[in-house]
Amino acid sequence: MKASTRISKTQEISKIDRRIYGSFIEHMGRAVYEGIYQPDHETSDENGFRQDVLQLVKELNVPIVRYPGGNFLSGYNWEDGIGPKENRPKRLDLAWRSIETNQVGLHEYMQWAEKSDTEVNMAVNLGTRGIDAARNLVEYCNFEGGTYWSDLRKQNGDEKPFAIKTWCLGNEMDGDWQIGHKTAEEYGRLAEETAKAMKWVDDSIELVVCGSSSSSRPTFVDWELTVLDHTYEYVDYLSLHQYYDNKTDDLAEFLAKSEDMDRFIKSVVAICDTMKAKKRSDKTMMLSFDEWNVWYHSNEETAAQKPWTVAPHILEDIYNFEDALLVGSMLITLLKNSDRVKIACLAQLVNVIAPIMTEEDGTAWKQTIFYPFQQASLYGNGKALNTKIEVATYDTEKIKNVPYLDSIAILNEEKNELVIFSVNKHHSEEIIFTIDTDLELLKVIESTEMADYDIKAVNGPNQEVVVPHNSNSGVTIEGGQIMIKAKPLSWNMTRISLI
Ligand code: AHR
């Protein structure tokens, strides 16, 4: 099969915001305890953080990590996680039927983020709490000193403000599973007033308001319109969440889901722009896709029937090769929409529907989905170029006109490099992908593929089977044309240096 496109240095979608390669740590399952933090683990540092995990987080090159939830957020008192550890209360976490020990709180998380070379995307509880707790938290984190909350931060060991820039106004407030679930009207008003107060404390912060928790929610669209009607002038991003599954074991349908994600993003952009017109506003609302991934292998298991425990084994999906392909396509989708999607968080980072897994008494290891994400985050920087592809399409029962090839080209002017990510979704045919360009091509720096694996192949501790391999012979340059041979069912990365 053939595919073709033309890219030009003058035809850009947008400069890519690095935060598009964000991720997420929630106090749930073994994400925090036995994940990032395990004082009795042999690799743990003086603060109790697992250094094997820190190492993998750094390798993944994650610029921002959302915290502390998730559904957990909506019952969380941030004050429980500050001050001497021995005085911190143990609480019931109603979201995940767990016991929260609060041994990791604000200061510990900030320490971990610094060690991981990542920024924090902090979320405030708008389920059981509200304006007061939120504005106090901003004061505690970002105010220089000389007030009750900022001085308490100093007393608790951090002289300098944390200077957190990106903040979420609650989590999935449209869902009845949420503690303190609200109607769009109730949430819209609360988010509006909370946003105002938070920005009065620190007007340099950026705020993310909750959109729908998926495109299949019955209130999707009405929710966004109502919430934005209240908050448009006070917030900077609207959130989207979406998880996909392959419960029917239909590979073509599963791989088509990045197309569904694309349509979801475009619908939300249209909603935001409708509100912009209604408000006669100069401001363009940006998007934060702050939860996305494949999620189903663990059957959305919660600790429901089990006794209350600390750090139960929940949502520990083991990802296979087809999941890595869809994650690759979802990354391409985010990049194709990078003019509006400025933040995105792969949910989550460690142990809970995550690219990184840990053994309690053993190693930390990389799931299949680790690799496309890592390659995108390491090399997908600069300007996303318009990459409109001519290629055959297929129809599934639910999603029509799905291109067999997904691809995005990125121009990294700092490194004088062109990077191309592509996914071939065809189960048996190679795609010969030709790219014409006005960029002056020098040579192929690197070309890798994840291909030829059983689609159900997985990785495990000390067993990294599904990984990218060199595919140098699969890419050629001639004059102003690049040719990539993308194997059936493959994720491909090509890096080309420019003259
Ligand atoms: O990421 C797991 C859960 O999925 C989060 O807690 C919630 O926000 C979403 O429903």
Side-chain angles (χ1 to χ4, degrees):
M1 181 183 298
K2 289 197 167 137
S4 62
T5 190
R6 181 171 173 78
I7 55 171
S8 165
K9 55 187 166 212
T10 60
Q11 298 292 310
E12 70 179 65
I13 300 170
S14 171
K15 183 171 174 6
I16 298 161
D17 189 319
R18 280 278 309 143
R19 292 177 297 174
I20 209 164
Y21 301 118
S23 188
F24 176 30
I25 285 282
E26 176 167 1
H27 279 253
M28 71 165 292
R30 298 191 308 127
V32 173
Y33 308 108
E34 280 184 33
I36 63 171
Y37 178 82
Q38 190 183 338
D40 63 359
H41 190 267
E42 58 178 4
T43 70
S44 282
D45 66 11
E46 68 287 1
N47 302 114
F49 298 121
R50 282 183 64 148
Q51 295 186 76
D52 54 351
V53 175
L54 278 170
Q55 176 59 30
L56 295 192
V57 173
K58 282 192 203 165
E59 281 181 34
L60 201 57
N61 196 29
V62 186
I64 190 163
V65 183
R66 183 167 171 251
Y67 175 86
N71 298 340
F72 168 80
L73 173 72
S74 297
Y76 182 53
N77 301 326
W78 67 266
E79 303 87 338
D80 289 346
I82 58 173
K85 284 188 174 182
E86 60 278 15
N87 296 343
R88 296 186 192 173
K90 282 196 179 128
R91 301 265 190 206
L92 293 183
D93 162 22
L94 305 184
W96 301 108
R97 204 172 191 279
S98 312
I99 292 173
E100 173 55 51
T101 63
N102 284 304
Q103 292 306 290
V104 170
L106 192 50
H107 292 259
E108 291 78 24
Y109 186 71
M110 296 308 299
Q111 259 168 11
W112 176 82
E114 198 181 336
K115 289 179 189 221
S116 308
D117 298 333
T118 188
E119 263 180 55
V120 173
N121 174 2
M122 185 61 73
V124 299
N125 172 359
L126 293 188
T128 56
R129 310 289 299 274
I131 306 170
D132 201 38
R135 59 135 183 187
N136 293 343
L137 181 57
V138 180
E139 184 181 321
Y140 189 93
C141 292
N142 286 10
F143 202 73
E144 195 63 45
T147 64
Y148 177 79
W149 291 108
S150 57
D151 285 345
L152 191 56
R153 178 197 70 238
K154 291 180 186 214
Q155 205 178 301
N156 287 332
D158 276 287
E159 184 61 30
K160 286 214 173 105
F162 298 139
I164 299 171
K165 174 180 166 190
T166 315
W167 295 75
C168 299
L169 293 160
N171 175 69
E172 294 191 347
M173 300 308 301
D174 62 324
D176 57 6
W177 58 88
Q178 205 67 221
I179 307 167
H181 160 229
K182 291 173 175 54
T183 64
E185 187 60 33
E186 288 165 347
Y187 172 67
R189 280 289 299 130
L190 179 60
E192 176 184 3
E193 293 306 318
T194 307
K196 277 160 58 180
M198 289 170 75
K199 284 199 171 174
W200 281 335
V201 178
D202 180 355
D203 62 7
S204 71
I205 62 174
E206 293 190 339
L207 295 176
V208 183
V209 74
C210 290
S212 295
S213 48
S214 84
S215 58
S216 56
R217 295 289 301 152
T219 50
F220 171 52
V221 181
D222 290 337
W223 172 273
E224 277 74 4
L225 287 170
T226 306
V227 167
L228 286 178
D229 210 1
H230 286 293
T231 58
Y232 199 90
E233 292 305 333
Y234 305 108
V235 303
D236 305 280
Y237 307 88
L238 176 66
S239 80
L240 297 83
H241 289 184
Q242 192 74 47
Y243 296 97
Y244 292 115
D245 67 71
N246 190 10
K247 281 184 186 153
T248 54
D249 201 11
D250 178 341
L251 181 60
E253 177 85 45
F254 179 59
L255 295 181
K257 292 184 178 182
S258 56
E259 201 52 29
D260 180 75
M261 183 191 206
D262 190 60
R263 293 170 197 181
F264 181 28
I265 293 171
K266 296 212 160 50
S267 303
V268 176
V269 166
I271 295 165
C272 291
D273 292 348
T274 302
M275 194 49 65
K276 176 178 181 173
K278 182 180 171 194
K279 300 271 179 197
R280 279 102 175 134
S281 175
D282 287 337
K283 171 169 155 185
T284 300
M285 187 63 59
M286 297 297 165
L287 308 186
S288 171
F289 213 123
D290 52 27
E291 287 188 33
W292 69 272
N293 203 347
V294 173
W295 170 12
Y296 78 104
H297 296 284
S298 56
N299 286 322
E300 300 178 22
E301 177 198 3
T302 68
Q305 303 306 317
K306 299 178 186 159
W308 293 87
T309 48
V310 176
H313 285 252
I314 52 173
L315 274 60
E316 299 202 3
D317 277 38
I318 301 300
Y319 291 112
N320 58 30
F321 177 46
E322 66 186 10
D323 299 329
L325 293 176
L326 184 62
V327 163
S329 272
M330 291 170 86
L331 282 160
I332 291 172
T333 305
L334 292 168
L335 291 165
K336 284 203 296 203
N337 290 286
S338 55
D339 54 332
R340 298 302 285 269
V341 180
K342 297 297 172 188
I343 306 170
C345 303
L346 176 70
Q348 299 189 9
L349 184 59
V350 183
N351 284 334
V352 172
I353 43 173
I356 298 168
M357 299 297 288
T358 67
E359 300 292 293
E360 186 184 350
D361 299 315
T363 55
W365 56 276
K366 303 171 191 172
Q367 297 239 43
T368 60
I369 62 169
F370 184 97
Y371 294 100
F373 188 94
Q374 179 190 36
Q375 291 191 320
S377 173
L378 282 176
Y379 301 112
N381 297 304
K383 288 179 183 164
L385 301 180
N386 261 320
T387 317
K388 195 172 171 346
I389 298 163
E390 296 289 323
V391 67
T393 60
Y394 67 96
D395 290 344
T396 69
E397 205 185 308
K398 294 196 189 113
I399 310 169
K400 311 290 174 210
N401 294 318
V402 183
Y404 277 110
L405 186 84
D406 275 346
S407 186
I408 184 80
I410 294 156
L411 174 61
N412 187 329
E413 286 168 320
E414 263 170 45
K415 292 192 175 160
N416 211 23
E417 182 174 317
L418 178 70
V419 181
I420 301 160
F421 299 115
S422 334
V423 171
N424 177 354
K425 299 183 177 181
H426 201 287
H427 70 283
S428 59
E429 280 190 43
E430 178 176 82
I431 297 182
I432 311 285
F433 181 29
T434 52
I435 303 158
D436 287 299
T437 180
D438 56 2
L439 290 160
E440 293 185 81
L441 310 170
L442 186 60
K443 64 171 180 30
V444 178
I445 307 169
E446 182 186 14
S447 153
T448 68
E449 65 188 11
M450 285 173 87
D452 298 325
Y453 295 113
D454 184 311
I455 52 168
K456 303 296 181 193
V458 297
N459 292 339
N462 307 315
Q463 181 205 325
E464 272 160 24
V465 179
V466 185
V467 298
H469 288 288
N470 273 337
S471 66
N472 279 331
S473 56
V475 180
T476 50
I477 299 176
E478 226 183 275
Q481 191 177 71
I482 305 158
M483 195 179 79
I484 298 172
K485 287 185 188 162
K487 288 185 178 163
L489 299 178
S490 60
W491 157 262
N492 305 270
M493 180 189 72
T494 308
R495 293 171 57 213
I496 293 170
S497 61
L498 303 171
I499 294 168

